[in-house]
Amino acid sequence: MGLRERKKAATREALVRAAVQLVLARGVEGVTVEAIADEAGVSPRTFHNYFPGKEEAIVAPLVDGVRELIDAVRARPADEPVWESLRHAVVELLQSVGHLEETLPLLHVIKDEPALLAWHMRGFAELQEELCAAVAERTGTDAKRDLYPRLMAGAVGLAIRVVLDLWTEGKTDTDITELFEDAFARLRAGLPTP
């Protein structure tokens, strides 16, 4: 990236970090666009160059994580089986994320706030379409016409949601990476009865 792109990325990251810190400290109602912009050291107008509203900035870390996952899938070896590529991409993403302890309370806030949950699900649906396209590229199928890439993207999306739900609700003491490994192994095996 050139200097301009690096500055834009740094500004966006500052806005996202400010949004997350403020929502965790004040709750959704206590956060405004102006407060996020002020915390990040920019104007509200600059904020709107990056996000239409506070909700998008708050859920951005999760949406960005899914984008990183898609990029990681595309970077895997072309001859690797799709399930293996997806599994490796998820594990690599989890190992590179240094702020899982911040992600847990953010997920709780999102689940408790309908407006945030709606934005989160909307972003997730858009990114699931991108994952469908990535699977289609790897398998030589058509993302618009063929069932396989859509089923694969849907299954992966569901696995991600189920694992995150179990993890955030504290219904398991299993490590999140192990949960993902287990979910992908079960899906790959055709979901045999335990």
Side-chain angles (χ1 to χ4, degrees):
M1 285 194 293
L3 178 60
R4 180 183 168 109
E5 289 81 17
R6 285 196 309 269
K7 283 185 176 183
K8 287 176 78 172
T11 299
R12 185 182 185 282
E13 178 62 24
L15 288 166
V16 169
R17 299 293 297 160
V20 170
Q21 289 170 353
L22 289 172
V23 80
L24 294 179
R26 302 179 184 176
V28 177
E29 296 300 319
V31 177
T32 63
V33 166
E34 291 76 16
I36 296 169
D38 186 54
E39 182 76 17
V42 300
S43 70
R45 182 176 178 189
T46 298
F47 173 93
H48 286 295
N49 289 337
Y50 294 87
F51 301 103
K54 68 180 183 180
E55 293 83 4
E56 296 86 350
I58 293 167
V59 301
L62 302 176
V63 174
D64 292 349
V66 177
R67 279 200 180 97
E68 290 175 32
L69 172 65
I70 292 164
D71 291 343
V73 168
R74 286 189 167 123
R76 298 294 307 167
D79 61 343
E80 184 175 60
V82 177
W83 277 117
E84 278 303 299
S85 294
L86 291 164
R87 185 185 66 78
H88 281 291
V90 167
V91 170
E92 288 170 12
L93 179 63
L94 288 171
Q95 290 171 346
S96 71
V97 175
H99 49 74
L100 279 177
E101 58 282 342
E102 186 178 271
T103 301
L104 183 58
L106 178 60
L107 285 167
H108 283 293
V109 169
I110 289 171
K111 287 179 87 173
D112 292 339
E113 180 60 42
L116 291 179
L117 188 57
W119 277 107
H120 176 60
M121 296 310 292
R122 179 180 169 194
F124 201 86
E126 290 172 6
L127 293 170
Q128 192 166 316
E129 287 297 315
E130 289 181 37
L131 182 57
C132 178
V135 170
E137 289 166 14
R138 292 184 60 88
T139 59
T141 55
D142 186 333
K144 295 187 189 302
R145 296 183 37 231
D146 293 331
L147 189 58
Y148 183 81
R150 292 188 168 279
L151 280 173
M152 180 68 81
V156 170
L158 181 60
I160 290 171
R161 286 193 297 267
V162 168
V163 167
L164 287 177
D165 282 348
L166 276 173
W167 186 65
T168 57
E169 293 170 8
K171 293 183 178 176
T172 180
D173 55 359
T174 305
D175 176 73
I176 191 168
T177 303
E178 290 177 41
L179 283 173
F180 274 113
E181 293 265 15
D182 189 20
F184 284 129
R186 290 173 189 249
L187 285 171
R188 186 175 185 178
L191 276 180
T193 303

